[in-house]
Amino acid sequence: MMAAGTEAPDSWYLALLGFAEHFRTSSPPKIRLCVHCLQAVFQFKPPQRVEARTHLQLGSVLYHHTKNSELARTHLEKAWFISQQIAQFEDVKFEAASLLSELYCQQKFSSLLKNLVDSAKPLLRKAIQISQQTPYWHCRLLFQLAQLHTLEKDLVSACDLLGVGAEYARVVGSEYTRALFLLSKGMLLLMERKLQEVHPLLTLCGQIVETWQGNPIQKESLRVFFLVLQVTHYLDAGQVKSVKPCLKQLQQCIQTISTLHDDEILPSNSADLFHWLPKEHMCVLVYLVTVMHSMQAGYLEKAQKYTDKALMQLEKLKMLDCSPILSSFQVILLEHIIMCRLVTGHKATALQEISQVCQLCQQSPRLFSNHAAQLHTLLGLYCISVNCMDNAEAQFTTALRLTSHQELWTFIVTNLASVYIREGNRHQELYNLLERINPDQNFPVSSHCLRAAAFYIRGLLSFFQGRYNEAKRFLRETLKMSNAEDLNRLTACSLVLLGHIFYVLGNHRESNNMVVPAMQLASKIPDMSVQLWSSALLKDLNKACGNSMDAHEAAQMHQNFSQQLLQDHIAACSLPEHNLISWTEGPPPVQIQAQNGPTTSLASLL
């Protein structure tokens, strides 16, 4: 066999490589046999090029198909070391560097290899430094190092690298990849709240998107990325009405992409060899931003419809693709639909979906790290809905400790303030919170929606304190802001509270003018708590005005809403998942013990 190998080295190498590929692509894959075939290559003392490539192939197979990270790392390190000594060997050299740094980052949360992530940065920097004559790899490695800095929440370094990438792409004549770098930078600037820097960047990207002529799928995917960034920008600012034209364009774009066939003709510029996201992932992303918009605007049935579509698509994709971005999409979708369920009076379903988010986070420490604050916030909202105010306070306090995101922090503080208002005996803590979310001065975020909500919270407090004129001023400000941006839930809540104030003041006609549209809007959303409140108020109003038929009809509606909410309340509190309300430390609990029936009352619902 050695003699044959000496005479025709290519034949033994190609035979072993063919066997290895056959075993790797078998159904199911026979990874152990594939690895044996590749390891056998070293018995023939192959030339350096074959040796380096085989180490890369072994490292890749072990990394992607086994849990033997140590052995994968050894082979990839050898591939990287040997390939640096060989001229004109860029594909192996830079793929080894890219895969090795990815492996180092995957080990970040491993107790055995915690410090390996620090090895990834100098490795990528070295690869970036020596790849400047290879545009595709230079751009790919810059993206990879920027992603690593982003994962470590070093957004400044990530933005700098993306800026370097955009300039390099411009110099090598790749406007498409330049736009990808700029849009990625724009996404990070939004995360950093550097809105003044986002505007000129979006303008430049818009020009590139319109003028670049190339692969139709790449062009449309650039347009999708650009529009997603614009939509996110508007939604972050709570400008729900302003976003509608962008959202419409985005939905048209994704329909166009779905009709295009993947063009197998490679771009003439190697720096253009990038795809932002697969078509199927883009489709889920468009569903996701549509759900985000519908949730903020208060179109909850539409949010439900698009969530169902997105989750169905995700289930299909996850059967074939274990990409972490799919789990992120799934968690964000669930977070939004859970809030919808709590509003529409489906607490038991919301609680089961919170438990589903916990299970997804158990599978990925990185996912839990990114979503822990949101998870505790959702539990806090659930606690409010079942009148467990002490638990709600504990959940919101935990969420505040875990987040550095200003919008989420403001949302949590607003909801915690509502808990203190309901409890009625936490005056000092309440005033401390309200100082920090004063909508009249130094409001902490630029979100139109959150500022409108802060006015509502002030109005609610003034109402409970009997300062009705002050309450009306705050609520009219909320109404003005919520009407300007179609924030239907805030509009409905403000109208019914104003109706309550006018009823207390004896102005029945004005009260009716507020409550009737509140009821109509709450039915359209649908918001079960506002419907319950409105029907109770309509019953009292019609009774006071001597309209016995209308009073009877309102009383019947109120009874129906009460029964639905009571049944859902009992169902939710009877679930074993209800014990999640006590979880405030560490990772999500693995098992949830059942408990003996509900422990809460409906006292706060009326």
Side-chain angles (χ1 to χ4, degrees):
M1 189 173 179
M2 283 297 292
T6 309
E7 289 166 17
D10 285 344
S11 60
W12 59 257
Y13 175 57
L14 293 173
L16 286 171
L17 207 58
F19 279 126
E21 186 62 10
H22 167 74
F23 291 131
R24 188 184 71 82
T25 55
S26 296
S27 184
K30 297 171 182 174
I31 298 303
R32 181 174 292 182
L33 292 173
C34 170
V35 168
H36 282 325
C37 289
L38 291 171
Q39 285 174 330
V41 171
F42 300 125
Q43 302 298 319
F44 292 87
K45 306 232 177 328
Q48 269 195 322
R49 281 176 174 267
V50 171
E51 185 184 1
R53 191 179 293 279
T54 305
H55 279 302
L56 173 60
Q57 289 163 327
L58 269 166
S60 179
V61 168
L62 289 164
Y63 174 58
H64 288 116
H65 298 281
T66 77
K67 293 182 179 177
N68 197 339
S69 300
E70 284 283 359
L71 191 55
R73 179 164 66 98
T74 301
H75 282 295
L76 290 172
E77 284 172 345
K78 285 179 179 175
W80 169 236
F81 176 74
I82 297 167
S83 61
Q84 287 179 79
Q85 302 164 32
I86 304 170
Q88 306 294 310
F89 207 41
E90 277 73 12
D91 58 335
V92 169
K93 187 186 309 179
F94 298 127
E95 190 172 340
S98 176
L99 204 53
L100 184 54
S101 63
E102 192 180 311
L103 183 146
Y104 287 158
C105 295
Q106 288 292 323
Q107 303 306 319
K108 181 176 181 181
F109 293 98
S110 161
S111 57
L112 296 173
L113 300 163
K114 271 185 180 171
N115 297 321
L116 280 181
V117 71
D118 294 328
S119 307
K121 291 178 200 166
L123 167 61
L124 284 171
R125 286 192 200 104
K126 172 77 181 292
I128 287 166
Q129 185 185 344
I130 61 177
S131 64
Q132 293 192 34
Q133 302 307 312
T134 317
Y136 167 74
W137 276 111
H138 191 66
C139 291
R140 180 169 158 179
L141 294 163
L142 280 166
F143 273 126
Q144 195 169 346
L145 185 52
Q147 183 183 30
L148 174 52
H149 282 298
T150 303
L151 290 172
E152 295 201 317
K153 299 188 167 49
D154 180 4
L155 301 187
V156 174
S157 298
C159 279
D160 288 346
L161 282 163
L162 293 169
V164 168
E167 178 57 20
Y168 175 84
R170 186 192 67 77
V171 169
V172 297
S174 172
E175 286 296 283
Y176 166 75
T177 303
R178 181 188 178 202
L180 281 184
F181 275 115
L182 290 170
L183 289 166
S184 301
K185 183 177 178 180
M187 197 163 54
L188 298 188
L189 290 171
L190 274 182
M191 288 167 68
E192 283 192 283
R193 324 312 312 149
K194 292 185 176 176
L195 303 183
Q196 295 305 312
E197 293 181 45
V198 174
H199 295 301
L201 189 144
L202 279 173
T203 303
L204 174 58
C205 288
Q207 291 166 357
I208 296 173
V209 168
E210 292 308 316
T211 57
W212 184 71
Q213 300 299 318
N215 179 310
I217 286 185
Q218 286 183 316
K219 185 175 177 70
E220 287 304 309
S221 71
L222 265 190
R223 197 188 303 277
V224 169
F225 195 174
F226 171 69
L227 289 168
V228 164
L229 205 57
Q230 280 199 311
V231 169
T232 308
H233 187 197
Y234 280 125
L235 291 179
D236 273 358
Q239 294 174 302
V240 173
K241 190 175 183 178
S242 311
V243 82
K244 284 183 179 177
C246 285
L247 202 55
K248 192 173 179 182
Q249 283 183 61
L250 187 54
Q251 287 159 350
Q252 288 168 346
C253 245
I254 206 69
Q255 285 176 348
T256 303
I257 284 182
S258 63
T259 65
L260 295 172
H261 297 290
D262 290 314
D263 193 345
E264 293 185 8
I265 300 169
L266 292 176
S268 55
N269 190 336
S270 65
D272 286 343
L273 284 167
F274 290 97
H275 283 287
W276 175 49
L277 280 177
K279 283 194 289 186
E280 298 78 11
H281 291 201
M282 278 191 268
C283 185
V284 174
L285 182 59
V286 173
Y287 285 147
L288 175 56
V289 294
T290 305
V291 168
M292 290 165 69
H293 171 259
S294 302
M295 178 66 216
Q296 276 200 36
Y299 304 126
L300 302 194
E301 286 180 347
K302 185 179 177 185
Q304 173 68 63
K305 174 183 150 189
Y306 279 100
T307 299
D308 289 344
K309 283 185 174 185
L311 289 174
M312 199 181 302
Q313 179 92 342
L314 276 170
E315 286 306 315
K316 289 178 188 172
L317 290 173
K318 287 181 85 172
M319 289 177 192
L320 307 167
D321 183 351
C322 58
S323 171
I325 198 171
L326 296 180
S327 294
S328 296
F329 285 165
Q330 190 175 359
V331 167
I332 297 167
L333 279 163
L334 286 168
E335 286 170 354
H336 281 81
I337 204 60
I338 287 161
M339 288 190 282
C340 288
R341 307 264 195 226
L342 293 173
V343 172
T344 57
H346 298 94
K347 295 184 278 288
T349 308
L351 185 57
Q352 288 166 326
E353 285 166 340
I354 290 172
S355 179
Q356 196 181 338
V357 175
C358 286
Q359 288 164 23
L360 286 165
C361 287
Q362 281 166 5
Q363 295 162 19
S364 166
R366 183 176 289 160
L367 203 57
F368 177 61
S369 170
N370 289 336
H371 291 270
Q374 290 92 322
L375 196 42
H376 286 288
T377 303
L378 291 170
L379 280 167
L381 295 173
Y382 167 76
C383 291
I384 291 177
S385 76
V386 291
N387 194 30
C388 296
M389 294 301 165
D390 288 347
N391 295 99
E393 181 184 354
Q395 290 297 338
F396 288 139
T397 304
T398 302
L400 286 174
R401 191 180 75 240
L402 292 171
T403 191
S404 57
H405 190 276
Q406 277 291 91
E407 271 75 12
L408 181 58
W409 181 90
T410 307
F411 179 79
I412 298 164
V413 167
T414 304
N415 282 283
L416 184 54
S418 80
V419 170
Y420 290 154
I421 289 171
R422 289 168 197 233
E423 289 184 318
N425 58 356
R426 306 293 295 278
H427 305 300
Q428 193 53 54
E429 293 99 323
L430 176 59
Y431 290 127
N432 288 343
L433 284 183
L434 292 179
E435 279 290 300
R436 303 173 78 180
I437 53 164
N438 185 347
D440 284 319
Q441 58 185 35
N442 300 323
F443 194 64
V445 292
S446 59
S447 171
H448 184 93
C449 181
L450 287 172
R451 188 161 169 261
F455 275 117
Y456 176 79
I457 287 293
R458 295 259 170 172
L460 187 66
L461 176 61
S462 300
F463 167 74
F464 277 114
Q465 292 174 334
R467 302 204 305 268
Y468 298 126
N469 284 333
E470 185 179 88
K472 283 191 283 186
R473 180 185 86 76
F474 286 128
L475 292 170
R476 281 174 177 146
E477 198 62 42
T478 304
L479 270 179
K480 185 173 77 177
M481 293 186 73
S482 54
N483 281 332
E485 285 293 342
D486 287 351
L487 305 171
N488 289 334
R489 280 202 66 223
L490 270 175
T491 300
C493 291
S494 303
L495 283 171
V496 74
L497 186 48
L498 276 167
H500 207 132
I501 290 168
F502 284 120
Y503 176 75
V504 171
L505 294 172
N507 188 340
H508 294 163
R509 183 178 174 183
E510 198 61 37
S511 178
N512 194 67
N513 288 342
M514 299 290 143
V515 180
V516 170
M519 187 66 169
Q520 291 168 344
L521 197 50
S523 305
K524 181 181 164 188
I525 291 170
D527 186 323
M528 190 63 85
S529 295
V530 174
Q531 285 177 296
L532 185 76
W533 189 1
S534 299
S535 57
L537 202 47
L538 278 172
K539 177 187 69 174
D540 294 342
L541 258 176
N542 284 304
K543 196 173 177 182
C545 296
N547 304 327
S548 55
M549 290 280 287
D550 291 340
H552 177 73
E553 187 184 331
Q556 192 59 53
M557 274 198 301
H558 184 261
Q559 177 69 12
N560 292 341
F561 292 136
S562 296
Q563 281 301 312
Q564 286 177 52
L565 280 167
L566 178 61
Q567 286 166 11
D568 183 51
H569 181 98
I570 292 168
C573 296
S574 302
L575 289 169
E577 290 90 345
H578 183 73
N579 281 336
L580 279 169
I581 68 173
S582 304
W583 163 59
T584 55
E585 292 290 337
V590 177
Q591 288 184 319
I592 301 156
Q593 299 300 317
Q595 63 174 40
N596 299 320
T599 57
T600 56
S601 73
L602 271 182
S604 74
L605 285 174
L606 291 173

